[in-house]
């Protein structure tokens, strides 16, 4: 399986369990690795035979900016399901970063990583 990766997609969302997170929102960063067979696209040099990563990026941003959820696990699942709607995408790894999570001790990042596939 070939891989197409998008790293560092940024969007503001209102996800979290605390009222301040829902009211003020915060930046979320998403990394994706899409699993698909790129050979047909490469053989014909044809965008329609692969995944249009620009469209995927816009859809992911729309999910992050969309309906708030409590957990970044839920957000990651929604992103994965959106990616799998693309016919060529057989699997996806989603990493959701929440660098401004409400944690009271010094930290660099909080992430949730999930992998989903059609099978």
């Amino acid at each position: 399986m070939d891989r197409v990766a998008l790293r560092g997609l940024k969007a503001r969302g209102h996800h979290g369990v605390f009222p301040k997170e829902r009211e003020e929102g915060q930046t979320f960063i998403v990394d994706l690795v899409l699993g698909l067979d790129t050979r047909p696209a490469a053989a014909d040099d044809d965008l329609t035979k692969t995944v249009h990563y620009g469209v995927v990026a816009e859809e992911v941003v729309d999910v992050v900016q969309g309906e708030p959820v409590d957990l970044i696990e839920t957000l990651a699942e929604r992103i994965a399901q959106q990616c799998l709607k693309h016919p060529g995408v057989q699997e996806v790894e989603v990493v959701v970063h929440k660098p401004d999570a409400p944690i009271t001790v010094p930290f660099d990042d909080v992430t949730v990583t999930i992998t989903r596939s059609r099978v």
Side-chain angles (χ1 to χ4, degrees), residues 33-77:
V33 179
L34 307 170
L36 63 153
D37 183 357
T38 63
R39 289 175 292 192
D44 295 336
D45 198 28
D46 186 348
L47 177 61
T48 65
K49 295 182 178 180
T50 187
V51 63
H52 191 310
Y53 51 78
V55 170
V56 172
E58 291 172 359
E59 292 171 350
V60 168
V61 167
D62 286 346
V63 171
V64 174
Q65 292 175 340
E67 180 185 349
V69 295
D70 288 345
L71 303 177
I72 58 174
E73 292 87 343
T74 306
L75 181 60
E77 184 68 33

Side-chain angles (χ1 to χ4, degrees), residues 19-118:
K20 183 177 179 180
E21 293 179 290
R22 291 294 183 102
E23 293 164 11
E24 296 179 10
Q26 60 191 291
T27 299
F28 293 86
I29 302 166
V30 178
D31 301 325
L32 300 173
V33 179
L34 307 170
L36 63 153
D37 183 357
T38 63
R39 289 175 292 192
D44 295 336
D45 198 28
D46 186 348
L47 177 61
T48 65
K49 295 182 178 180
T50 187
V51 63
H52 191 310
Y53 51 78
V55 170
V56 172
E58 291 172 359
E59 292 171 350
V60 168
V61 167
D62 286 346
V63 171
V64 174
Q65 292 175 340
E67 180 185 349
V69 295
D70 288 345
L71 303 177
I72 58 174
E73 292 87 343
T74 306
L75 181 60
E77 184 68 33
R78 288 183 178 180
I79 291 168
Q81 294 309 314
Q82 180 62 46
C83 292
L84 289 171
K85 289 180 181 178
H86 291 267
V89 176
Q90 297 301 306
E91 66 181 29
V92 60
E93 178 183 273
V94 178
V95 181
V96 175
H97 300 257
K98 190 175 179 181
D100 299 320
I103 297 175
T104 60
V105 297
F107 74 102
D108 289 330
D109 198 6
V110 172
T111 66
V112 168
T113 303
I114 66 169
T115 303
R116 298 294 182 265
S117 65
R118 292 185 182 278

